[in-house]
Amino acid sequence: MSPAVIVRSITTISRSAKPPIYRILSRHIATTRHRSIGSIALPSARTIITTPPLSLGSTPRRITTATTPRSRVAATTMADIDVEAVLKGKYPAKTHAKRVVEYIRFKVPDATGVLFLEGRSDHLLEDSDEPVHFRQRRPFMYLTGVDIPDCAFIYDMETSQSTLFIPPVDPEGVIWTGLPLSIEEALAKYDVDAVLPTTELNPMLVKLGAANAKSTVFAIAERVSNNVTFLEFGNKDLSLLAEAIDECRVVKDEYEIALIKKANQISSAAHRAVLENVRKAKHEYELEGVFIGKCMRQGAKKQAYPSIMASGRAAATLHYVHNDKELTGKDLLLIDAGAEWSTYAADITRTFPISGRFTEQSRAIYEIVLQMQNDCIAMLKEGVWWDDVHVRAHEIAIDGLLSLGILKGDRKEILEARTSTAFLPHGLGHYLGMDTHDTGGHPNYSDPDPMFRYLRVRRNLPAGSVITVEPGIYFCEFIIRPFLKDPKHSKYIDENVLNNYWDVGGVRIEDNIVITKDGSINLTEAVKDPDEMEKIILGS
């Protein structure tokens, strides 16, 4: 048996086997709303590609064993989730803490002691008395639901008791910023068992550490203040807690999915507002203002990431953030923008004609990308290997570009040569949650294979995870010109045909998808049907 065959056989076994941590943590499945759902019906695109998937390219790569819980499938992935009803409750911090403890005890079976976390502190700009924009540390948010500065948290692993520490009242601070959250208000608002002032933090740590000489304090390296003492604890672990939280964050509960859906609802409305205003605008920044303004009018004061408003050839730049160019004479606008709701992100991309009418070239590319997305979404369900979905996107891109004459030759050879990475240089998507590029994907940015180097998720998708599906085709001269000079790739590219597509710039379509046991649910409502987008633009 050749080495390649051995690798394939081992990987196939790894894919089908359920990692032990899945079986152990599944006992802690949330049971708030037990309704199962099947696969959802997906919007169909105009059929462009009819050739079957290539076996080459979907060869499994090195598997990183999934270590997040198998998930609260029924509870978290309801198509008809009532966002407002769910969000009336408290953020499920204690459930998260229990899952993190379960993870730690899987790695260290006899682990006992406390989890300790500090939130981010308020501080000023280095050359000004203006405050730095506050962004809560995500691990702290995950275990507390608290989005205010200068707090700390202790979770007793033996008693399952959680204690939040908040800053005491500073009389001088009250003059400038008003009264802070009181102990009584914090206890009513957050899913914790007790609330104390931060002046009681060290006495509590001393008491808990002295109670058991073998106990361990689990904290995160470089996120413990100098004035915090762990002297009474027999052991200190500054690595496992961060790993445990990162892995547990992959699978979302009902509350988290409601937060992401709320962010999507707000962002989808803002995307539509841009469609309605694009013909009135003269500069990219005007449309950025439209988007952010619409989000703020709906209560979302923060953006999940800097908005991308890329017109014309600028759409070939993946993370273009200048947003200052004129729109006149440009074909397409690519908008990649999403609001944040209670620290959870939406991440949506749409591409549409500024004039209200696609050109022949831009419409052809748009149709290919739309089919890439629809076909990839149709593959999604619990256990799917994300590499395979990513390869399928490349296969459809190759077939589409062959049909237009931009590529030429044998589709299998083109995939083997990785020539398609000239037009799709990034990964198909990433996990989404409190971070836009959320934790637990185990990317391998040193992968020698350029098709997978920038793929942010390299694992089987668990039910309850939320992932973006964002295929694209780009005409970036900086990337493509070297391919045209390389005989390995140039023989597959018809430069004469390619020259007709530079002004398309780039097309990307991105939705936010919940993985379920038997399929997936699309949380993104923003319009992407090309005819409907044209109607909205021209109708405005």
Side-chain angles (χ1 to χ4, degrees), residues 17-30:
K18 191 81 70 179
I21 191 69
Y22 274 73
R23 298 193 293 269
I24 292 172
L25 292 183
S26 64
R27 295 197 298 269
H28 290 284
I29 289 174

Side-chain angles (χ1 to χ4, degrees), residues 67-111:
T67 49
T68 46
R70 185 166 171 272
S71 88
R72 295 137 277 191
V73 176
T76 63
T77 56
M78 299 175 299
D80 59 343
I81 185 171
D82 187 335
V83 170
E84 302 305 326
V86 171
L87 297 185
K88 285 180 180 178
K90 292 183 179 181
Y91 182 88
K94 286 192 283 190
T95 298
H96 293 175
K98 289 177 181 177
R99 295 181 63 212
V100 169
V101 169
E102 190 79 7
Y103 182 99
I104 289 173
R105 285 180 172 157
F106 173 73
K107 291 297 188 78
V108 185
D110 299 324

Side-chain angles (χ1 to χ4, degrees), residues 4 8 12 15 51-61 379 385 387-396 398-399 410-416 418 449 451-452:
R8 180 183 293 274
T12 303
R15 284 197 200 180
T51 46
L54 295 172
S55 58
L56 178 86
S58 57
T59 302
R61 323 202 89 69
M379 294 175 66
W385 181 241
D387 281 28
D388 291 343
V389 187
H390 177 68
V391 169
R392 184 60 185 148
H394 274 271
E395 291 172 347
I396 299 169
I398 290 169
D399 289 341
D410 181 79
R411 62 195 293 263
K412 183 177 179 180
E413 291 179 4
I414 293 170
L415 185 64
E416 283 181 327
R418 301 315 196 215
D449 189 332
M451 183 171 287
F452 298 94

Side-chain angles (χ1 to χ4, degrees), residues 308-416:
I308 296 169
M309 303 280 166
S311 61
R313 294 195 178 194
T317 302
L318 302 183
H319 284 177
Y320 171 88
V321 292
H322 301 295
N323 300 347
D324 58 0
K325 300 298 188 292
E326 291 187 1
L327 301 176
T328 305
K330 308 288 183 60
D331 183 0
L332 299 178
L333 181 82
L334 186 154
I335 167 175
D336 186 338
E340 180 180 290
W341 189 260
S342 295
T343 73
Y344 279 76
D347 185 2
I348 303 171
T349 305
R350 292 293 183 264
T351 312
F352 49 83
I354 296 169
S355 67
R357 294 289 186 196
F358 283 98
T359 64
E360 179 182 351
Q361 289 80 10
S362 62
R363 178 67 177 241
I365 298 301
Y366 189 92
E367 296 280 7
I368 296 169
V369 176
L370 185 60
Q371 184 167 350
M372 291 164 68
Q373 193 198 46
N374 284 337
D375 282 18
C376 288
I377 291 175
M379 294 175 66
L380 300 181
K381 64 179 180 178
E382 179 183 24
V384 166
W385 181 241
W386 186 241
D387 281 28
D388 291 343
V389 187
H390 177 68
V391 169
R392 184 60 185 148
H394 274 271
E395 291 172 347
I396 299 169
I398 290 169
D399 289 341
L401 295 175
L402 281 169
S403 71
L404 297 178
I406 297 172
L407 292 179
K408 58 185 179 180
D410 181 79
R411 62 195 293 263
K412 183 177 179 180
E413 291 179 4
I414 293 170
L415 185 64
E416 283 181 327

Side-chain angles (χ1 to χ4, degrees), residues 1-20:
M1 185 178 289
S2 69
V5 175
I6 293 172
V7 170
R8 180 183 293 274
S9 300
I10 292 173
T11 310
T12 303
I13 293 170
S14 299
R15 284 197 200 180
S16 60
K18 191 81 70 179

